[in-house]
Amino acid sequence: MNKYLLQPVLFLLFAIMLSACEPLPSDTHMQQIKQRGVLRVGTLNTPVSYLYEGEQLSGLDYELAIAFAERLDVKLDMSPALSIDELFKELDTGNIDLIAAGLTLTPERANKYRSAPPFYEVAQTLVYRTGSKKPRKFEDIDAPVLVLKSSAHEEFLTQLKSEHPHLSLQAIDEEDPAELLKQVEDSEASYALVNDVVLARSQRYYPNLAEGFSLENKEPVAWLLKKNIDDSLYAALIEYIGEQHQAGVVAKLEEKYFGHIKRFDFVDTRSFLRAAENVLPDYKALFEKYQTEEFDWILLAATSYQESHWKPNAKSRTGVRGMMMLTNNTAKMMGVKNRVDAEESVRGGAKYLTYILSRIPDSIDEDEKIWFALASYNLGFGHVMDARRLARSLGKDQDNWSDVKDILPLLQRKKWHQKTRYGYARGGEAKHYVNNIRQYQESLTWLVRKQARDKLFEQQLALHPWVELSESLTAPNSTLTDETTTADKKPVTEEKPSAAKGNKEPSASKKPSASKEPSAGKEPSASKKPSAGKKPSATKAPVADEKPIKKEPGDKQSDTEASATVETPANSTPSAKSLDTPN
């Protein structure tokens, strides 16, 4: 037989023999997801990636993941792991389809895993405590550096030891940087290496943390997949993430989670935290009494602090007064008879904020309407609408808070405000006004969670005083070495939550679903899609197959166009210990 004819025959026979020994090729990865009806995503419990708050879930990775699941017409099972090591083990064993946890793409990870297109970039930052000598370069480091085990920071410092043999590091097997940063805050450690956005957010809780130096080369943050699978899921992710960038969705999420953390005031943050512990308790009940679905008590309290520093008799240069700094006209419109009465002021301020919010155009996303409303409370509704029109004329997105907030300062310049309907306004103040409130909101949210955790711990300790001793005897210790290693934590066998189209769907080997009584920590639930600053309504949770529903100006002048003349200081629900993306 001709050898050219013989070769195909032999190949066919070989293929038949091989098929008798091995199963036929399975469906593609994407087909498996579709048949399963569930997209399995691994993550970590951090505010930026995945966090349960009250009756809803939030997180940049969560919001993108649930939208991707909707696009595929499947449910979302988003499972938080206990550590970075556990997260990669879940991916390696095929228990999850991808990792969405704010992790960076390092050279080592790039060799082992496939990366979806990146969302944003972060810089590795060395953190130290104010009051100690600032390290400006690696040669200045004279104590072990804390890092998360299996993080990009551990990988980087381990490689750096060849150039700087004096460097030592301590790897902690935790899920997020909170444990590292708290040790630096409490002077239990000298340094930690985290992402710049982690430091920026955590300074709202730990104001004594400071940046020593950051690496110039930033690293991309992206979702990760296994390499030894077909391209079907990878191709779908490339298309999806590209569309989210083009539509401005990623930019809006960056604004939501990072837009308020770029400017840090050490003195102001420290003063706020002190006031939150010493002054706020006198007025907390009022904020809780007059909170609305749109403005929960924490956001009301944050706004009131920005207005008056929680001083009922506060007065500005232009005559606005009280806890919420109301003008005479606004007080009359809201039925407030005595502006310096704390209760009347809080009631009037909450009512007026809700009224302004109802006037914000529906073309603006629900998540961002609240920032436009706060800017209007400070500057006047008409001036904020002027800024929107000005943004549109300059080719910006008038419905995007990130674009409009940068236009607001132009209202102070004659070149621009003479083109507007309502003229001059202190737009720069309004920009900082909203930014400050967002920072106070974040600081207060953290403090409330901390107080709830502490109270729960005290209750448990009172009932079971032996627990503290037994935990201290069995708690795993991190290992301090030059090469850094710690024993992997053995995960507790319990069910993890899964977010299925906006509500929790229990799955095997996961943590407790929303139907179980939540514990103080990672509290699973998913009702509707989260929105910034919005208080979740008390509605019945959707059924398992439901998908989450994502949901001309006047010249009203500000209640707070001028800042209060009060002296400026020199300066829910328990959640898991968490701060930010672990890298």
Side-chain angles (χ1 to χ4, degrees):
M1 181 180 291
N2 188 297
K3 65 177 181 178
Y4 297 103
L5 295 176
L6 182 61
Q7 287 179 348
V9 173
L10 293 175
F11 180 80
L12 180 60
L13 290 172
F14 176 75
I16 293 173
M17 293 171 60
L18 188 62
S19 65
C21 301
E22 297 183 359
L24 292 173
S26 61
D27 295 328
T28 66
H29 194 177
M30 184 60 70
Q31 288 173 331
Q32 292 174 16
I33 292 172
K34 294 271 191 177
Q35 291 169 2
R36 186 193 311 136
V38 176
L39 175 68
R40 305 168 307 179
V41 177
T43 190
L44 295 168
N45 265 300
T46 72
V48 169
S49 291
Y50 177 92
L51 183 66
Y52 175 78
E53 294 182 291
E55 297 177 5
Q56 58 190 8
L57 285 160
S58 64
L60 185 150
D61 289 297
Y62 168 73
E63 294 193 42
L64 288 169
I66 201 165
F68 183 51
E70 287 177 354
R71 179 190 180 98
L72 300 180
D73 196 26
V74 297
K75 297 176 182 178
L76 174 65
D77 177 355
M78 199 157 189
S79 307
L82 296 176
S83 67
I84 297 177
D85 267 345
E86 181 189 327
L87 197 57
F88 281 109
K89 288 176 184 176
E90 290 284 286
L91 183 62
D92 292 340
T93 55
N95 290 332
I96 56 177
D97 299 305
L98 60 93
I99 290 175
L103 300 184
T104 56
L105 184 64
T106 66
E108 183 175 328
R109 289 172 184 167
N111 288 333
K112 297 175 63 177
Y113 303 98
R114 177 179 277 177
S115 164
F119 296 113
Y120 54 93
E121 293 184 331
V122 294
Q124 297 197 44
T125 301
L126 187 77
V127 181
Y128 75 107
R129 195 181 191 282
T130 55
S132 57
K133 184 179 179 181
K134 179 178 180 178
R136 301 181 183 276
K137 54 186 183 300
F138 286 108
E139 287 76 11
D140 296 338
I141 298 175
D142 55 4
V145 180
L146 297 187
V147 293
L148 290 184
K149 188 174 184 296
S150 301
S151 67
H153 312 302
E154 181 185 14
E155 179 182 328
F156 171 74
L157 288 181
T158 301
Q159 295 171 350
L160 198 66
K161 280 183 62 63
S162 59
E163 301 175 31
H164 302 278
H166 74 287
L167 283 178
S168 64
L169 50 133
Q170 181 177 357
I172 297 180
D173 195 7
E174 292 287 347
E175 63 174 305
D176 85 63
E179 295 304 300
L180 282 67
L181 297 172
K182 188 175 188 307
Q183 289 189 46
V184 177
E185 169 77 8
D186 295 342
S187 299
E188 295 174 3
S190 298
Y191 310 108
L193 192 64
V194 297
N195 290 338
D196 53 355
V197 295
V198 173
L199 172 61
R201 287 179 66 99
S202 58
Q203 284 175 317
R204 273 70 200 175
Y205 332 122
Y206 303 134
N208 290 311
L209 298 177
E211 175 186 336
F213 60 90
S214 290
L215 304 185
E216 293 183 2
N217 296 329
K218 291 199 169 186
E219 297 174 329
V221 173
W223 291 356
L224 302 175
L225 334 160
K226 290 177 69 174
K227 266 193 173 180
N228 59 341
I229 56 174
D230 60 80
D231 295 338
S232 56
L233 178 59
Y234 179 62
L237 280 172
I238 290 177
E239 181 180 4
Y240 167 71
I241 294 174
E243 289 177 357
Q244 300 309 295
H245 275 292
Q246 189 172 5
V249 173
V250 174
K252 285 190 174 183
L253 288 174
E254 283 192 66
E255 166 61 33
K256 178 177 179 178
Y257 289 97
F258 309 135
H260 59 295
I261 63 174
K262 297 177 182 177
R263 178 175 170 266
F264 173 65
D265 187 325
F266 164 73
V267 176
D268 181 59
T269 302
R270 186 176 60 179
S271 297
F272 173 78
L273 290 173
R274 287 175 177 171
E277 292 187 323
N278 301 320
V279 180
L280 179 59
D282 294 337
Y283 304 106
K284 180 182 175 183
L286 290 181
F287 295 121
E288 291 178 328
K289 181 177 179 179
Y290 293 108
Q291 67 183 334
T292 66
E293 182 177 345
E294 297 82 8
F295 290 88
D296 66 13
W297 79 266
I298 288 179
L299 184 56
L300 278 179
T303 305
S304 179
Y305 184 83
Q306 172 63 26
E307 291 288 348
S308 66
H309 287 60
W310 298 323
K311 295 185 178 181
N313 61 349
K315 182 179 180 179
S316 79
R317 296 185 300 273
T318 57
V320 294
R321 301 200 68 181
M323 290 276 284
M324 300 298 290
M325 299 297 276
L326 302 175
T327 65
N328 268 316
N329 289 337
T330 299
K332 290 177 182 179
M333 183 168 58
M334 296 298 114
V336 174
K337 296 181 180 180
N338 183 1
R339 290 183 294 164
V340 297
D341 179 85
E343 180 164 3
E344 284 202 62
S345 184
V346 171
R347 175 180 59 80
K351 187 176 179 181
Y352 186 54
L353 279 168
T354 304
Y355 164 72
I356 295 175
L357 187 64
S358 70
R359 302 181 66 193
I360 302 298
D362 287 336
S363 57
I364 297 172
D365 286 350
E366 291 295 327
D367 283 354
E368 297 200 330
K369 278 186 177 182
I370 205 157
W371 312 133
F372 285 88
L374 286 170
S376 299
Y377 189 89
N378 172 256
L379 194 63
F381 183 81
H383 291 304
V384 174
M385 294 304 108
D386 275 347
R388 291 181 71 242
R389 287 187 285 269
L390 194 55
R392 181 178 58 192
S393 70
L394 294 174
K396 304 290 185 178
D397 185 352
Q398 65 175 353
D399 295 330
N400 187 327
W401 173 247
S402 181
D403 283 353
V404 174
K405 74 175 184 179
D406 289 336
I407 296 297
L408 284 170
L410 297 183
L411 298 178
Q412 297 174 227
R413 297 168 58 182
K414 185 177 180 180
K415 175 183 176 181
W416 300 106
H417 71 67
Q418 66 183 1
K419 300 178 182 180
T420 65
R421 185 176 301 178
Y422 299 107
Y424 173 85
R426 290 186 291 275
E429 288 184 13
K431 176 181 178 180
H432 292 308
Y433 175 90
V434 176
N435 189 71
N436 288 346
I437 291 174
R438 294 176 70 181
Q439 292 185 19
Y440 297 147
Q441 180 190 30
E442 186 160 329
S443 296
L444 186 53
T445 299
W446 170 84
L447 184 60
V448 168
R449 291 182 191 141
K450 178 181 180 297
Q451 291 172 342
R453 288 196 304 270
D454 291 347
K455 182 178 180 181
L456 183 62
F457 177 76
E458 290 174 3
Q459 292 172 345
Q460 292 175 337
L461 189 60
L463 292 173
H464 308 289
W466 52 269
V467 171
E468 184 177 29
L469 176 61
S470 64
E471 286 184 347
S472 66
L473 294 175
T474 60
N477 296 319
S478 57
T479 305
L480 175 61
T481 65
D482 284 343
E483 295 301 323
T484 84
T485 119
T486 63
D488 292 342
K489 285 185 176 179
K490 184 177 180 181
V492 178
T493 304
E494 54 181 349
E495 292 185 348
K496 289 182 184 175
S498 66
K501 303 276 191 182
N503 67 282
K504 304 310 292 175
E505 177 84 9
S507 61
S509 303
K510 305 298 179 184
K511 290 191 176 179
S513 65
S515 61
K516 295 191 178 182
E517 181 181 353
S519 59
K522 304 164 190 173
E523 295 188 348
S525 172
S527 53
K528 53 189 178 181
K529 183 179 179 295
S531 62
K534 188 171 182 180
K535 180 189 173 186
S537 58
T539 55
K540 186 175 73 172
V543 296
D545 291 331
E546 281 184 345
K547 295 180 182 179
I549 299 174
K550 294 182 180 179
K551 297 184 173 186
E552 207 33 36
D555 59 353
K556 175 67 185 167
Q557 288 301 307
S558 169
D559 288 288
T560 56
E561 273 201 340
S563 59
T565 56
V566 296
E567 179 183 357
T568 302
N571 96 345
S572 248
T573 304
S575 173
K577 58 178 175 13
S578 57
L579 283 179
D580 254 298
T581 51
N583 198 41

